[in-house]
Amino acid sequence: MRIVFHDLTVEPEPWLAELRRAFPQATVQSWQPGAPAADYALVWAPPQQLLDEQPQLKALFNIAAGVDALLKLKLPAAVPVFRLDDAGMAVQMAEYVCQAVIRFYRELDAVEADSRRGLWQQRAPRLRQDFAVGVMGLGVLGQRVLGALHAFGYPLRGWSRSARTLPGVQTFWGAAQWPDFLRGSRILVNLLPLTPETDKILDRRALMSLPVGGYLINVARGRHLVDEDLLAVLDSGHLAGALLDVFQQEPLPADHPFWHHPRITVTPHTSARTLRRESLAQIIGKIVALEAGALPQSLGGWVRTEVGY
Amino acid sequence: MRIVFHDLTVEPEPWLAELRRAFPQATVQSWQPGAPAADYALVWAPPQQLLDEQPQLKALFNIAAGVDALLKLKLPAAVPVFRLDDAGMAVQMAEYVCQAVIRFYRELDAVEADSRRGLWQQRAPRLRQDFAVGVMGLGVLGQRVLGALHAFGYPLRGWSRSARTLPGVQTFWGAAQWPDFLRGSRILVNLLPLTPETDKILDRRALMSLPVGGYLINVARGRHLVDEDLLAVLDSGHLAGALLDVFQQEPLPADHPFWHHPRITVTPHTSARTLRRESLAQIIGKIVALEAGALPQSLGGWVRTEVGY
């Protein structure tokens, strides 16, 4: 068995070592142009050449939940593609989004800023029922986030491409229900996959549809958001704040106005980090199952250049 | 029926108006020295005189969860005392503690401080299993906090005066198990009632028993904590940070070193605010039940100057 690895955002050695421990008979290497064809490839944002040089690939593993980097490429026909479907990322996303929602609702940034200036200043409690949280994208991450938010009693809303039912969540779907979904979401959380349909979905019109005093939390992809529209809507006073973890260009360029905007908090794509151990456990488990004859679909694999949300 | 109200921390009129709506036949007034004896008293930190002038009191309602202000006084004999046992406070406490735990574990204050300086700086993820959260006090608030933390997968521990079993929580009890409880609690959350036994429980010895790099979240009472011991333990580098919402004197005096300590965040007793509507709904419901002949014990009333935790 031959396994190739390609992820320029991490140190490859620990990944290769763990794969070699799991498959001592296999050849496990970082991909190089012209390397022998592999049976399995683990990739994040690979070059097209890597895919083009794989005539015998049994499966392609995307080392992330989001597959937008793969969808930009021509995928080898009939090769099943697997993305990480949790691997410790959903719980991170749940905690990141929950702390953000709580801090917006409870105005804790302002409370702590007062404290740093030595001011003891209580604020009038706001009404929980005025703080509906609307989650865009109801996959593994969106469902986990909504499940965690449930403990705090906010009205919960969810929007997805196709109809879904979730307990305790008012769900909306498709383009027809998009305006209604936005209108009632005081805090909007973006967890959509990036596809041609969702590219720039958070534009001026969408943001102005949120309630006055609303908040945006973007933890999906920077390209979902039209940067200058967010700035205009914040500066107009319509929205009260935004927490942004993802950007069109990462690292966020030093001269980008998001860095120092008083109503924007920037974090460095840190909401849900890929955890090596959990990710490899999931991928290794799937390779073992495939080698034992499991059907790729039964393990969550798919072969079309399309992804549900 | 005669109802008196005494809470110098709030505007009394909305409270009186709501009580009058609920009991149109009753006389509802703010307490004044020498006022006629009442059937029910709603109080927060009342003077002893208020209690001494109530020969016919059927019940005393404490407008808070913590009864330490009452326990300092001589309570009228055989009069059942009720504290708010949730009234919208437990969910607030859960959200306050969860956001604090998440921010400590994920180092979000440091991440956001980097961002404010224009630095894109990811940090190595820390291991969730190293971040056991230990909750002191397993009453309504402690249980609700632990229930909410459960969604985030931290190892959970709880300590109480007498033995308790909670699903998914490693419980400890009494003085004998106190050192073991502390030793494994990377993040310590104090939700104890303030009693002579728990006064100054968070002293140098207790804080030094926490793991190196530990954190303290105090949301109970300022007198649980020996201020100078916390400062010494933080300055020694043993603990990494503290979030304090309650203080021996409130507002926290302007010259107190907590205000500007780099590892301490101060908030102005805002973790769980008394909500008028929810509190009155609970108290009014109990008065209605008592008038209909319900036993005080069946409604959570107690008559001894002792409170379980």
Side-chain angles (χ1 to χ4, degrees):
Chain A
M1 189 197 308
R2 188 173 283 277
I3 302 176
V4 293
F5 178 89
H6 177 87
D7 181 349
L8 297 180
T9 69
V10 301
E11 182 61 52
E13 267 313 320
W15 291 77
L16 301 177
E18 210 152 323
L19 285 164
R20 288 179 187 128
R21 263 196 302 281
F23 303 110
Q25 314 299 327
T27 303
V28 180
Q29 287 174 313
S30 279
W31 179 78
Q32 301 289 344
D39 301 292
Y40 297 98
L42 282 62
V43 300
W44 167 242
Q48 181 65 49
Q49 187 184 357
L50 184 157
L51 301 177
D52 291 345
E53 292 181 358
Q54 306 305 331
Q56 65 182 58
L57 206 60
K58 298 181 194 168
L60 180 64
F61 292 96
N62 184 58
I63 310 174
V67 293
D68 44 299
L70 277 185
L71 293 186
K72 284 189 273 189
L73 302 172
K74 187 171 174 305
L75 294 173
V79 170
V81 178
F82 296 87
R83 58 182 189 147
L84 292 181
D85 50 33
D86 185 339
M89 284 192 295
V91 64
Q92 295 179 71
M93 195 57 92
E95 58 189 5
Y96 186 90
V97 171
C98 283
Q99 64 88 27
V101 166
I102 293 166
R103 291 182 73 81
F104 282 144
Y105 167 52
R106 299 284 294 269
E107 300 184 276
L108 288 174
D109 284 340
V111 167
E112 292 177 14
D114 283 346
S115 284
R116 280 192 294 272
R117 293 184 295 139
L119 285 180
W120 181 277
Q121 187 79 53
Q122 288 189 332
R123 282 155 193 266
R126 309 203 276 189
L127 292 178
R128 197 167 293 271
Q129 60 263 39
D130 291 343
F131 275 78
V133 182
V135 173
M136 301 160 60
L138 300 177
V140 171
L141 296 179
Q143 290 186 40
R144 179 66 176 261
V145 165
L146 285 161
L149 285 169
H150 191 74
F152 306 111
Y154 307 106
L156 299 179
R157 305 157 73 89
W159 181 81
S160 54
R161 186 173 56 168
S162 47
R164 295 241 181 169
T165 307
L166 294 174
V169 180
Q170 186 181 2
T171 50
F172 300 78
W173 62 283
Q177 298 182 4
W178 172 237
D180 277 348
F181 166 74
L182 292 174
R183 253 193 296 277
S185 296
R186 181 72 176 267
I187 301 181
L188 183 67
V189 178
N190 178 28
L191 279 163
L192 289 175
L194 182 64
T195 68
E197 275 180 289
T198 67
D199 198 23
K200 299 190 173 25
I201 190 170
L202 295 172
D203 60 5
R204 186 187 183 98
R205 185 170 173 168
L207 298 172
M208 287 300 291
S209 300
L210 297 174
V212 174
Y215 298 89
L216 171 68
I217 298 169
N218 190 15
V219 281
R221 288 289 182 261
R223 283 186 50 187
H224 286 125
L225 177 66
V226 182
D227 293 2
E228 56 273 26
D229 287 3
L230 174 63
L231 291 166
V233 170
L234 284 170
D235 291 341
S236 78
H238 185 82
L239 290 188
L243 173 60
L244 306 177
D245 188 51
V246 290
F247 306 92
Q248 300 198 24
Q249 187 183 337
E250 296 181 6
L252 184 64
D255 60 352
H256 199 288
F258 284 171
W259 279 117
H260 299 292
H261 193 284
R263 295 184 176 189
I264 293 177
T265 300
V266 166
T267 58
H269 203 145
T270 201
S271 55
R273 304 282 295 279
T274 299
L275 303 176
R276 186 181 72 241
R277 193 178 307 172
E278 287 82 348
S279 302
L280 278 174
Q282 188 178 117
I283 292 170
I284 288 166
K286 287 182 178 171
I287 292 176
V288 168
L290 291 169
E291 289 291 302
L295 292 177
Q297 304 92 299
S298 72
L299 303 169
W302 45 273
V303 294
R304 291 157 53 229
T305 53
E306 188 182 317
V307 57
Y309 59 86
Chain B
M1 190 197 313
R2 188 173 282 276
I3 302 176
V4 293
F5 178 87
H6 177 87
D7 180 348
L8 297 180
T9 70
V10 301
E11 183 60 55
E13 267 313 321
W15 292 76
L16 301 177
E18 212 153 320
L19 286 163
R20 288 180 187 128
R21 261 196 302 280
F23 302 110
Q25 314 298 327
T27 303
V28 179
Q29 286 174 312
S30 279
W31 179 78
Q32 301 291 341
D39 300 293
Y40 296 100
L42 281 62
V43 300
W44 168 242
Q48 181 66 50
Q49 186 183 358
L50 184 157
L51 301 177
D52 291 345
E53 291 182 356
Q54 306 304 332
Q56 65 183 59
L57 205 61
K58 297 182 194 168
L60 181 63
F61 292 95
N62 185 58
I63 311 173
V67 292
D68 45 300
L70 277 186
L71 293 186
K72 284 190 273 188
L73 303 172
K74 187 172 174 305
L75 295 173
V79 171
V81 177
F82 296 87
R83 59 182 190 145
L84 292 181
D85 50 33
D86 185 337
M89 285 191 294
V91 64
Q92 295 179 69
M93 194 57 92
E95 60 190 4
Y96 186 90
V97 171
C98 284
Q99 65 87 27
V101 166
I102 293 166
R103 291 183 74 81
F104 281 144
Y105 167 53
R106 300 284 295 267
E107 301 184 276
L108 289 175
D109 284 340
V111 167
E112 292 176 14
D114 284 346
S115 283
R116 280 192 294 271
R117 293 183 296 138
L119 285 181
W120 181 276
Q121 187 80 51
Q122 287 189 332
R123 282 158 191 264
R126 309 203 277 188
L127 292 178
R128 197 168 293 271
Q129 59 263 39
D130 292 342
F131 275 79
V133 182
V135 174
M136 300 160 60
L138 300 177
V140 171
L141 296 179
Q143 290 185 39
R144 179 65 178 262
V145 165
L146 284 161
L149 284 169
H150 191 75
F152 306 112
Y154 308 106
L156 299 179
R157 304 157 73 89
W159 181 80
S160 54
R161 186 172 58 166
S162 47
R164 296 241 181 169
T165 307
L166 294 174
V169 180
Q170 186 181 2
T171 50
F172 300 77
W173 62 284
Q177 298 182 4
W178 172 238
D180 276 349
F181 166 74
L182 293 174
R183 254 193 295 277
S185 296
R186 181 73 175 268
I187 301 182
L188 183 67
V189 179
N190 178 29
L191 279 163
L192 289 174
L194 181 63
T195 67
E197 278 180 287
T198 66
D199 198 23
K200 299 191 174 21
I201 192 170
L202 295 171
D203 59 7
R204 187 186 184 101
R205 186 169 173 170
L207 297 171
M208 287 300 291
S209 301
L210 298 174
V212 174
Y215 298 87
L216 171 67
I217 298 169
N218 190 15
V219 281
R221 287 290 182 259
R223 284 186 51 186
H224 287 126
L225 176 67
V226 182
D227 293 3
E228 54 273 26
D229 287 3
L230 175 64
L231 291 166
V233 171
L234 285 169
D235 291 341
S236 77
H238 186 82
L239 291 188
L243 174 60
L244 306 176
D245 188 51
V246 291
F247 306 92
Q248 301 199 23
Q249 188 183 337
E250 296 180 4
L252 184 64
D255 60 351
H256 198 289
F258 285 172
W259 279 117
H260 300 292
H261 193 284
R263 295 184 176 186
I264 292 177
T265 300
V266 166
T267 58
H269 204 145
T270 199
S271 54
R273 303 283 295 280
T274 299
L275 303 176
R276 187 181 70 242
R277 193 179 305 174
E278 287 83 347
S279 302
L280 279 174
Q282 188 178 117
I283 292 169
I284 288 166
K286 287 183 179 171
I287 292 176
V288 168
L290 290 169
E291 289 290 304
L295 290 177
Q297 303 92 300
S298 72
L299 303 169
W302 45 273
V303 293
R304 293 158 53 230
T305 54
E306 191 181 313
V307 55
Y309 59 87

